[in-house]
Amino acid sequence: MKAVIMAGGEGTRLRPLTSMRPKPMIPIVNQPVMEHIIGLVKHHGLTDVVATLAFMPQVIEDYFGDGEEWGMSITYAVEESPLGTAGSVKNAEDALKDGTFLVISGDALTDMNLTEVIKFHNSHDGPVTIALKRVPDPLDFGVVITDESGKIQRFLEKPTWGQVFSDTINTGIYVIDPIVFDFIPDGTPYDFSSELFPALMAAGHDLYGFVADGYWCDVGSLESYVEAHRDILDGKAMIYVPGARARNDVWVGRGAEVDPGAHIGSKVVIGANTRVRAGARLEDYTVIGDNCLIGVEAVLEHAIVWSDAFVGTGSEVRGAVVCRGVDIRARARIEPGAAIGDETVIGHGALVSSDVQVYPFKRIESGAIVSSSIIWESKGMRSLFGADGIAGLTNIDITPNLALKTAQAFGSILPSKAHVVVSRDSSRGARMVKRAIAAGLNSTGINVRDLRVASPAITRFTTRDTRCQGGVHICASSKDPQILEVHFYDKAGIDLAPWIEKKVERLYFRGEFRRAFFEEVGEIIYPPRALEYYTAGLMEALDDDALVHRRPTIVIDMGMSPASFVLPQVAGRWDIEMIALRPFVDSEQTRASGATPEGMTEQMVRSIGAFQADFGLSIDATAERIALITGSGRVLDPDTTLHVMAYLWSHTDSSGLCMAVPLTASRVIELIAQETGHCVVRAGTSRRSLSAASLRDDVGIAGSQTGGFVFPEFLAAYDAVMSLAMLLRMLDKLEMTLDEVVENLPPFHLRRRRVFCPFNRKGAVMRQMAEIGLHREVEMTEGVRVAYDDGWALVLPHESEALVEVFSEGGTSARADEIADQYVALVEQAIVAE
């Protein structure tokens, strides 16, 4: 059997380590990763290797040659253009078509028993066997779900936490029969997990997964690179370490010299021909490459130093990675998390702070203090995007610097000279951040269409109906005015897809932005009549008919939102009597007593009674969501508001379309829909999931449990003004009051619990939830939703916090509590289970 070593990786996330070499050639305990993989396949009897190359192929070919030095036969298949994982193997078809072969990554470190994987493959009838591994945090990998026999049921490529149904991931190690070549196109980028494997399954082939024991680490980041060294030195990974092993787990290479008086800790590697001078201290978990000189009284602790480096007298390197040929002069200090690129000179007494990256061939002057990366900053928060876009405290978490770089990352994924709509609410924090957003977009060659103060709906509408490639809206959170939110939209005017958010995040954390030359810097344009176009589009979507036939009186709290720009213009045409509260936008407005949410609710109830209004409606600060108060003064919770809108729509719609609601919404929605012959589509819990569901041809309305509603014939996004218009129209058609509608609604019993769960246990929790679900009716659109005759439970990991959420519903209040308690207990057991 032949082995295919895939060695085309560029390793952009590992820069500056990979600035001068392809990812398979970064050294781990003084040998390239690929050399460890070659040793592994040889250990399991595979001596005929085909290496697939793409990025800097000559570096790998020059190092390994024909493989004679390793007792191997190595040939190479070089891609002229990127062909993807399966495409690169197809490129080597002539060397592989005669029999079953093993595929293994040349840049992931492992000591897995390949013989067992091959044996499993030979005992099953599928054309592909995938080596699987259970990991604590599966978010960055392809999750694979199998049945008890190992047959693969489902693939999920780099899922969100809501899609994590297992902690069993694809390691990229495959045993493959040559029949698969019939399914891979020639000369075309083609992927194993997302294209080939689904195609094989669609053609009726059974694919198998084998959960292998042993160590496996995708060395894809600086953190995992350092962790791999520690795992080897701790004995968790059976990886060859060059040199003679001495006491205290110290490995010393041939020709190395350690002067008397030098201190050597435990779990230390000293490369060949390296000299450690008297008084130097090599503390625990330090790896020194070949041909290095460690000066007098130098201190290295948890450090990784590559070959040909010099560490001067009294210098300190703690928890850092120092690449090939770096010159660290006397008394310099490099702090934990730093990475120093090849051939860099760190001057006498200089300080390189924690987490700073210095790219190759830089010179840091004596005494300099480097507190940010020489090229770009590469590390920050755990993730950039959350459920509410990018959110955090104004000028603490959400700063102009963060906004600038995020805009640069977003602009870098768009075509040069593209147009992006930008808007904000009336808050001063949003104004500050919008200016940074505009500057960041301009710096990447993007033209900004500045709407100034506008609602998200106007921004989305303008983005969708013009030639713009995206939109950005900055606003204070409706939950807490101290929190600022930055929302990014695609050219359809809906929130970015998760895979696009991840792309923006990668560019942000790597700091790799497109730079426009002076004549290519983008412009700022102030589009005229955006509000008028939006209003015209709104009226056209409503067919410009008389909205109501009887003149209702409504108390509306406009919440100082941009809805105050629109409602006064349309209220007369809709023939409604409107009592407006806070009908203005004012950045200087303070939250005086009575302006709190509770105070405004009380004021609305009083106003409804005083004016004998039909009902009251409150609009949030972004003009996206609504809250309702009936004519009798009953304040409706968001779930009841959703049920009201579902009831009205299903009893007034004659199109036969479905309504889309979140997985966490009550079963009452189905009961309401069944009365009128409508169907229900269950979407994910995010705003984008509802927007995407509303774009389906069979969906006429989408509603959230936060007061946001989508009417896709106008706009696939929340819009409080459109929600009010449709509410008025539907009430008028049914000739019912809001109180009467509420009285017709079935009762419901929903619960929501939150369980603390470390990130490294979320995958295990979801695997066990999915296994429990094998014995019941389950849905895995997002999280694991288990159905019962009288209720349901949904277990869903939180996107950005160390939490797992449990949602439940029961036929009675007690049953809802019982189901919630049961699944909270199951989650807690899974967290602590080995």
Side-chain angles (χ1 to χ4, degrees):
M1 180 182 290
K2 292 183 179 180
V4 178
I5 297 180
M6 302 184 68
E10 186 174 350
T12 53
R13 288 188 298 152
L14 275 167
R15 292 176 183 166
L17 278 61
T18 53
S19 296
M20 305 294 295
R21 59 192 56 77
K23 185 179 174 185
M25 294 303 292
I26 61 168
I28 290 186
V29 288
N30 297 335
Q31 282 191 350
V33 183
M34 184 171 165
E35 187 168 358
H36 290 295
I37 298 302
I38 285 177
L40 178 68
V41 298
K42 181 181 179 182
H43 176 73
H44 289 278
L46 285 70
T47 57
D48 201 345
V49 169
V50 179
T52 63
L53 310 180
F55 177 70
M56 298 178 71
Q58 70 281 358
V59 176
I60 295 175
E61 290 187 66
D62 290 347
Y63 188 90
F64 292 104
D66 61 6
E68 182 179 0
E69 182 180 342
W70 289 265
M72 309 279 283
S73 172
I74 302 178
T75 57
Y76 302 94
V78 181
E79 302 170 34
E80 297 300 326
S81 60
L83 295 175
T85 52
S88 66
V89 174
K90 176 74 171 181
N91 191 44
E93 179 179 4
D94 289 343
L96 301 170
K97 61 186 177 182
D98 294 333
T100 300
F101 54 91
L102 174 87
V103 175
I104 188 169
S105 173
D107 53 25
L109 193 68
T110 183
D111 63 4
M112 282 186 178
N113 190 330
L114 303 180
T115 302
E116 286 187 353
V117 182
I118 295 168
K119 183 179 178 181
F120 179 90
H121 177 82
N122 291 336
S123 65
H124 292 72
D125 58 358
V128 176
T129 295
I130 302 175
L132 307 177
K133 177 72 177 174
R134 287 178 178 157
V135 298
D137 186 351
L139 275 189
D140 291 330
F141 306 102
V143 172
V144 180
I145 300 173
T146 63
D147 63 16
E148 295 177 356
S149 70
K151 186 183 297 184
I152 292 172
Q153 304 295 310
R154 188 175 179 186
F155 291 96
L156 285 170
E157 277 298 300
K158 295 188 177 179
T160 64
W161 271 121
Q163 298 171 315
V164 172
F165 310 120
S166 174
D167 58 354
T168 309
I169 61 128
N170 178 357
T171 65
I173 300 173
Y174 313 124
V175 183
I176 298 178
D177 294 336
I179 188 177
V180 303
F181 287 124
D182 296 338
F183 292 82
I184 307 174
D186 283 316
T188 301
Y190 205 68
D191 184 69
F192 275 125
S193 295
S194 63
E195 294 176 292
L196 175 62
F197 295 161
L200 288 169
M201 294 174 72
H205 291 285
D206 292 333
L207 307 187
Y208 288 88
F210 176 78
V211 180
D213 293 326
Y215 181 83
W216 181 86
C217 176
D218 175 30
V219 187
S221 65
L222 288 170
E223 292 82 358
S224 61
Y225 177 76
V226 173
E227 182 183 1
H229 281 82
R230 189 179 184 100
D231 289 342
I232 293 169
L233 297 177
D234 279 337
K236 295 179 181 178
M238 298 298 104
I239 303 297
Y240 172 70
V241 181
R245 188 170 184 174
R247 61 179 182 83
N248 295 334
D249 290 332
V250 174
W251 286 263
V252 181
R254 179 176 297 177
E257 295 182 32
V258 178
D259 288 354
H263 168 79
I264 310 296
S266 66
K267 300 179 180 178
V268 172
V269 178
I270 301 173
N273 303 313
T274 284
R275 175 80 179 273
V276 181
R277 301 293 298 272
R281 299 182 62 86
L282 303 188
E283 302 289 358
D284 299 352
Y285 297 103
T286 294
V287 177
I288 309 296
D290 299 341
N291 309 312
C292 294
L293 177 60
I294 310 301
V296 175
E297 297 182 354
V299 178
L300 293 93
E301 182 178 8
H302 289 75
I304 301 169
V305 179
W306 292 6
S307 61
D308 303 309
F310 169 77
V311 181
T313 300
S315 292
E316 297 180 14
V317 182
R318 301 180 188 272
V321 179
V322 176
C323 292
R324 184 180 180 277
V326 172
D327 184 350
I328 302 172
R329 301 291 171 86
R331 310 298 173 189
R333 193 164 88 243
I334 303 175
E335 296 188 335
I340 312 300
D342 294 65
E343 308 290 340
T344 292
V345 177
I346 310 292
H348 183 284
L351 167 64
V352 179
S353 299
S354 297
D355 300 326
V356 165
Q357 293 185 7
V358 179
Y359 275 43
F361 303 111
K362 298 297 178 288
R363 185 180 186 93
I364 297 174
E365 295 183 357
S366 298
I369 299 176
V370 181
S371 58
S372 61
S373 297
I374 295 297
I375 302 299
W376 305 114
E377 184 179 294
S378 66
K379 189 177 179 183
M381 60 189 71
R382 180 182 177 90
S383 61
L384 199 57
F385 289 89
D388 296 314
I390 301 172
L393 293 172
T394 303
N395 223 20
I396 296 175
D397 301 315
I398 306 300
T399 63
N401 187 48
L402 178 142
L404 175 76
K405 293 182 179 181
T406 305
Q408 288 176 304
F410 183 55
S412 296
I413 70 172
L414 301 177
S416 182
K417 300 182 180 179
H419 289 246
V420 170
V421 178
V422 178
S423 66
R424 64 176 177 88
D425 70 5
S426 61
S427 66
R428 284 174 287 183
R431 179 173 56 194
M432 170 189 72
V433 167
K434 182 175 73 70
R435 291 169 175 168
I437 292 281
L441 291 169
N442 286 164
S443 75
T444 62
I446 301 297
N447 297 307
V448 171
R449 290 178 173 259
D450 188 353
L451 300 186
R452 299 185 177 93
V453 177
S455 69
I458 295 173
T459 306
R460 294 175 188 271
F461 180 88
T462 306
T463 302
R464 185 195 67 185
D465 284 18
T466 62
R467 58 175 176 165
C468 296
Q469 293 291 316
V472 186
H473 181 74
I474 307 100
C475 59
S477 169
S478 57
K479 304 170 186 175
D480 184 347
Q482 299 179 84
I483 293 176
L484 206 61
E485 298 176 356
V486 184
H487 297 276
F488 288 83
Y489 310 138
D490 63 18
K491 61 183 178 181
I494 64 176
D495 297 85
L496 298 183
W499 68 270
I500 300 179
E501 290 182 344
K502 288 182 181 292
K503 191 172 183 179
V504 173
E505 283 183 356
R506 285 196 296 270
L507 291 177
Y508 174 89
F509 288 126
R510 294 205 308 253
E512 295 179 353
F513 312 131
R514 182 176 64 222
R515 294 288 173 175
F517 294 109
F518 71 95
E519 70 274 12
E520 297 172 343
V521 172
E523 298 182 26
I524 296 181
I525 304 163
Y526 298 95
R529 297 181 295 281
L531 177 60
E532 288 82 353
Y533 288 134
Y534 163 82
T535 304
L538 177 72
M539 299 306 295
E540 182 180 352
L542 294 168
D543 298 326
D544 208 17
D545 292 339
L547 199 68
V548 295
H549 297 92
R550 53 193 178 91
R551 187 181 181 87
T553 300
I554 311 165
V555 176
I556 301 179
D557 174 18
M558 297 189 193
M560 297 184 294
S561 75
S564 60
F565 297 153
V566 182
L567 279 176
Q569 297 185 38
V570 299
R573 297 172 68 177
W574 290 353
D575 196 24
I576 62 174
E577 190 74 39
M578 183 173 69
I579 293 91
L581 307 179
R582 299 194 293 175
F584 52 84
V585 173
D586 185 358
S587 63
E588 302 299 324
Q589 178 73 12
T590 59
R591 300 189 69 186
S593 60
T596 63
E598 297 79 11
M600 287 309 304
T601 298
E602 292 176 5
Q603 184 177 348
M604 286 189 68
V605 171
R606 290 195 300 269
S607 298
I608 291 168
F611 290 97
Q612 296 184 335
D614 291 83
F615 65 89
L617 182 141
S618 176
I619 296 174
D620 75 347
T622 64
E624 292 182 294
R625 300 171 182 86
I626 61 171
L628 297 177
I629 302 176
T630 69
S632 65
R634 179 176 176 178
V635 180
L636 303 186
D637 61 81
D639 283 293
T640 302
T641 301
L642 173 60
H643 302 167
V644 165
M645 296 295 278
Y647 182 94
L648 290 170
W649 185 81
S650 64
H651 284 78
T652 57
D653 173 73
S654 59
S655 66
L657 295 175
C658 302
M659 62 183 77
V661 296
L663 288 167
T664 50
S666 169
R667 296 186 304 169
V668 162
I669 302 293
E670 277 81 5
L671 296 177
I672 293 171
Q674 288 166 9
E675 290 179 1
T676 56
H678 286 79
C679 60
V680 175
V681 172
R682 291 280 178 171
T685 57
S686 70
R687 177 168 52 186
R688 190 188 191 283
S689 296
L690 281 175
S691 293
S694 75
L695 292 175
R696 290 174 38 163
D697 293 337
D698 61 342
V699 171
I701 181 177
S704 74
Q705 294 169 279
T706 62
F709 297 93
V710 178
F711 297 91
E713 65 177 297
F714 171 55
L715 188 66
Y718 299 164
D719 184 352
V721 178
M722 184 63 174
S723 298
L724 170 60
M726 292 301 295
L727 175 64
L728 290 167
R729 169 172 286 179
M730 294 185 296
L731 284 170
D732 189 70
K733 281 186 178 181
L734 278 185
E735 297 184 354
M736 294 178 69
T737 68
L738 192 56
D739 276 299
E740 290 171 341
V741 173
V742 174
E743 289 301 319
N744 283 331
L745 298 176
F748 64 98
H749 307 281
L750 290 173
R751 299 292 183 269
R752 179 181 181 180
R753 307 280 178 80
R754 308 181 107 194
V755 183
F756 173 77
C757 176
F759 279 94
N760 64 359
R761 295 299 299 166
K762 286 184 178 181
V765 168
M766 297 313 295
R767 172 170 55 84
Q768 294 199 35
M769 292 304 106
E771 290 172 355
I772 291 170
L774 292 175
H775 308 293
R776 305 200 63 88
E777 180 186 346
V778 299
E779 183 178 356
M780 292 194 290
T781 303
E782 189 175 277
V784 176
R785 191 176 192 268
V786 184
Y788 294 88
D789 293 337
D790 61 345
W792 53 266
L794 172 68
V795 180
L796 180 65
H798 196 281
E799 288 284 346
S800 57
E801 296 181 26
L803 295 170
V804 169
E805 296 185 291
V806 175
F807 302 85
S808 70
E809 183 177 18
T812 65
S813 181
R815 178 58 176 154
D817 285 328
E818 179 186 350
I819 295 173
D821 292 341
Q822 176 187 352
Y823 278 85
V824 166
L826 288 171
V827 169
E828 290 174 342
Q829 291 170 15
I831 291 171
V832 300
E834 291 299 327

